[in-house]
Structures are given as structure tokens and as C-alpha cells.
């Protein structure tokens, strides 16, 4: 056999070996999973005593398969950084003005590690009156009366998506406190609302948790039982599916927002950054996850699905 033929055969064997090796490495990387991060809130099932949760106490499931938890970081101390936007519906009844002081006190009570921004939902956009700042007094000054103009309000979920898309990625957790009646004046009401679904998807992809407080709206729709009912359903859905909490008291305005805001403050101090190895699919996409712990009187609250990159 000629020398040139030997060289060609040897080169082909090396190529086949390299391809096989790369496939093995890819399969090993795929089988071990890809790291996925989630912010998780630990909530007591009864009372206010929150037990200590360690990494080995956390169980993550994708379907029937248990994923490996690689990190469970308390978001406290040097890791307590938080970006929090307060998003207020301009279609809210102007009676909300009597409760702005509750919101201002909540802002001032946050730790120095929390940067706060203030925005208003108007015409399907988020009108940012104060960008994220650690100057809490400055953030509090940005609060104003809602316009109470139902005619200028589209879907509050347009405004929510607008804020999420304009919010740069950050190494710290990002969360939103949304005050609205939840009524979609653009898309209507019903069990399936594409704008609500779109807002949930964008928030989950960005890893943003949404808390909501129901506050009555203005205009005819603002006192329609049917519309108000669906508005609260939408707020509850968004908060639940992103790992937050929805607050409301019937269909009326609460006497004070302070109890809700106090509860939110406590929740923000009981959050952890969870990292686990997710099993990737051939295409990137959302995957359902469930969190469990056997620690008594503890519940792990987080988004019900995560965005997982494609496998190799």
C-alpha cells in the first residue's frame, strides 16, 4: 500500500475517533444536566416560624425524575442584592392616593441592598418615573396619584411585558410589586387570556417574580363583578406561576396596604437562590418543575416551570 494511502486511512481513523469522543463527551454533559437557577421563597405552612432549610432538604423534580441540587444560597448578607420595581396601574381608582403613604413607608423600610424603581401602567407601556435606585427617599418621591383614566388604559399585561423587556439582566434577583385591578380592558376576560400567558412566559424566562395587590379600578369595568373576578384571577395566576403572592380582600379596597406590604417584606428576607441540574431536551424551552421538602412546617414557593437550554 502506498504511503499516501496510509496517511489518508490514518487521517480518517483519527476523524472517526475524534467524532466518537466528542459524542461521548456531549452525551456525558447531557446526562449530567445543565445548571438552572431559580429564586425560591420559604413559606411557613402554619404560624410565622420559618424553619432552617439546608441544601440536602431541597428536592427538585422534572416529571418523575429527581434533579440534582448543586447549590442553595441564602439571599442574605453579601448576597442580599435585590432590584424591585413598584408598578402601579394608572386606571386604578384615585382612592389609592390615601394609601400611597403605606407604599412610601414600605420603600423606606427596605434594606440598603435593595434598589427600587417606580413605574405606572399607561397606554400599554410602563411609564418609569424613577429608575432603580438605592436612594429610597428619592424613590418614594416618585409616587403620585394614579390618573384614574380607564380610557387611556389598555391591558395592564402589556405594561408588565414592556417593563420586563426593558429591564436589563442583572446578577441579583429581580422582582415586581404590581398594583392593579387586573382587568384586561384590551383583550377582554375569560379562562384563557393570551396577554396574561405572554406576561407569565416573559417573567419566567427572565426569572422575575411578580407580587400583586388588587386595587379597584375606575370606569364601568372597574365595578363589573364579572370583570373584577377575572382580574383577580389573572393577578393570582401571574403571581402564583412566577413564584410570588397575590393579595386581595374581596373586591373592595383594603383599609390599609400595610399588612400586605409587611408580609411581602418578610418574604423577601426568606428567599434562596436554587441551582439544580435540569435534563435538557433537543430544543430549548420551558419545563415543568416541582419543589419539595420534608422539613416540617415549610413550603418552597417558586415558579412552576423554568427555561432550559437545549441539550448538546
Amino acid at each position: 500500500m502506498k504511503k499516501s494511502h496510509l496517511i489518508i486511512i490514518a487521517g480518517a481513523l483519527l476523524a472517526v475517533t475524534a467524532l466518537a469522543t466528542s459524542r461521548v463527551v456531549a452525551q456525558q454533559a447531557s446526562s449530567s444536566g445543565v445548571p438552572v437557577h431559580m429564586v425560591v421563597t420559604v413559606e411557613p405552612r402554619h404560624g410565622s416560624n420559618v424553619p432552617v432549610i439546608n441544601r440536602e432538604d431541597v428536592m427538585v423534580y422534572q416529571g418523575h425524575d429527581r434533579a440534582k441540587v448543586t447549590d442553595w444560597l441564602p439571599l442574605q448578607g453579601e448576597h442580599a442584592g435585590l432590584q424591585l420595581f413598584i408598578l402601579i396601574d394608572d386606571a386604578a381608582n384615585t382612592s389609592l392616593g390615601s394609601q400611597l403613604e403605606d407604599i412610601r413607608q414600605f420603600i423606606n423600610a427596605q434594606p440598603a441592598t435593595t434598589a427600587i424603581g417606580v413605574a405606572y401602567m399607561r397606554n400599554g407601556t410602563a411609564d418609569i418615573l424613577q429608575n432603580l435606585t438605592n436612594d429610597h427617599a428619592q424613590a418614594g418621591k416618585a409616587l403620585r396619584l394614579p390618573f384614574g383614566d380607564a380610557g387611556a388604559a389598555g391591558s395592564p399585561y402589556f405594561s408588565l411585558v414592556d417593563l420586563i423587556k426593558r429591564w436589563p439582566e442583572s446578577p441579583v434577583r429581580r422582582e415586581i410589586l404590581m398594583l392593579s385591578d387586573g382587568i384586561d380592558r384590551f383583550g377582554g376576560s375569560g379562562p384563557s387570556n393570551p396577554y396574561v400567558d405572554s406576561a407569565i412566559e416573559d417573567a419566567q424566562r427572565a426569572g422575575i417574580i411578580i407580587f400583586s395587590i388588587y386595587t379597584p379600578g375606575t370606569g364601568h369595568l372597574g365595578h363589573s363583578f364579572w370583570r373584577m373576578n377575572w382580574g383577580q384571577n389573572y393577578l393570582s395566576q401571574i403571581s402564583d406561576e412566577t413564584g410570588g403572592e397575590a393579595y386581595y380582600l374581596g373586591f373592595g379596597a383594603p383599609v390599609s396596604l400595610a399588612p400586605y406590604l409587611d408580609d411581602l417584606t418578610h418574604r423577601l428576607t426568606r428567599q434562596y437562590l436554587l441551582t439544580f441540574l435540569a435534563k435538557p431536551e433537543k430544543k430549548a424551552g420551558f419545563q415543568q418543575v416541582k419543589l419539595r421538602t420534608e422539613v416540617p412546617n415549610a413550603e418552597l414557593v417558586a415558579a412552576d416551570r423554568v427555561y432550559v437550554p437545549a441539550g448538546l
Side-chain angles (χ1 to χ4, degrees):
M1 186 178 289
K2 295 182 179 180
K3 184 177 180 181
S4 59
H5 290 168
L6 290 173
I7 293 174
I8 293 173
I9 293 172
L13 289 173
L14 287 173
V16 171
T17 302
L19 178 59
T21 302
S22 66
R23 286 178 175 174
V24 169
V25 172
Q27 288 172 357
Q28 290 175 342
S30 178
S31 62
S32 63
V34 294
V36 173
H37 309 284
M38 299 180 73
V39 174
V40 180
T41 305
V42 177
E43 179 179 309
R45 293 182 182 274
H46 308 287
S48 58
N49 294 326
V50 181
V52 175
I53 304 292
N54 299 310
R55 188 182 71 176
E56 57 270 21
D57 300 320
V58 180
M59 296 174 283
V60 181
Y61 291 92
Q62 285 182 270
H64 296 293
D65 299 326
R66 183 171 174 178
K68 181 179 180 180
V69 174
T70 60
D71 202 8
W72 176 252
L73 180 68
L75 296 176
Q76 301 172 5
E78 63 179 331
H79 303 293
L82 168 65
Q83 293 182 349
L84 175 65
F85 253 106
I86 296 175
L87 183 61
I88 300 176
D89 199 336
D90 252 339
N93 194 294
T94 54
S95 61
L96 181 62
S98 63
Q99 298 170 328
L100 291 182
E101 186 57 31
D102 288 341
I103 304 174
R104 194 169 288 114
Q105 290 181 12
F106 164 76
I107 292 174
N108 290 329
Q110 298 312 299
T113 51
T114 298
I116 296 178
V118 177
Y120 282 75
M121 307 177 205
R122 184 166 180 79
N123 291 322
T125 63
D127 182 15
I128 299 176
L129 302 188
Q130 174 60 60
N131 283 311
L132 291 162
T133 177
N134 294 94
D135 185 342
H136 296 164
Q138 184 66 28
K141 290 178 181 178
L143 294 172
R144 62 159 172 78
L145 282 172
F147 288 156
D149 183 3
S155 169
Y157 310 105
F158 290 167
S159 299
L160 181 59
V161 168
D162 180 55
L163 176 60
I164 292 172
K165 289 186 175 180
R166 290 162 56 192
W167 195 342
E169 291 187 10
S170 170
V172 303
R173 53 189 160 146
R174 296 182 293 169
E175 311 194 26
I176 294 173
L177 171 60
M178 177 179 177
L179 293 95
S180 174
D181 61 6
I183 295 175
D184 186 351
R185 292 171 170 80
F186 183 89
S189 301
S192 180
N193 186 307
Y195 307 123
V196 174
D197 294 340
S198 178
I200 292 172
E201 180 173 313
D202 285 351
Q204 290 177 333
R205 186 187 294 265
I208 294 176
I209 296 175
I210 300 172
F211 294 88
S212 60
I213 296 179
Y214 172 82
T215 184
T218 191
H220 172 71
L221 298 186
H223 54 78
S224 166
F225 176 83
W226 181 62
R227 297 282 192 174
M228 291 187 296
N229 180 66
W230 279 110
Q232 286 191 354
N233 286 341
Y234 295 152
L235 293 177
S236 296
Q237 181 184 356
I238 279 186
S239 293
D240 183 68
E241 294 188 19
T242 61
E245 182 75 14
Y247 301 97
Y248 51 89
L249 181 65
F251 293 116
V255 176
S256 171
L257 297 181
Y260 300 157
L261 298 173
D262 288 345
D263 183 77
L264 174 55
T265 297
H266 291 309
R267 288 175 184 272
L268 295 176
T269 63
R270 303 195 298 257
Q271 292 185 329
Y272 294 76
L273 180 62
L274 166 68
T275 305
F276 66 95
L277 298 180
K279 182 180 179 181
E281 301 291 345
K282 292 182 179 180
K283 293 183 178 180
F286 287 103
Q287 295 190 28
Q288 297 286 330
V289 294
K290 293 183 179 180
L291 307 186
R292 296 285 188 270
T293 183
E294 294 180 353
V295 175
N297 197 40
E299 185 171 358
L300 306 181
V301 180
D304 62 358
R305 62 180 186 171
V306 292
Y307 188 80
V308 180
L312 297 177

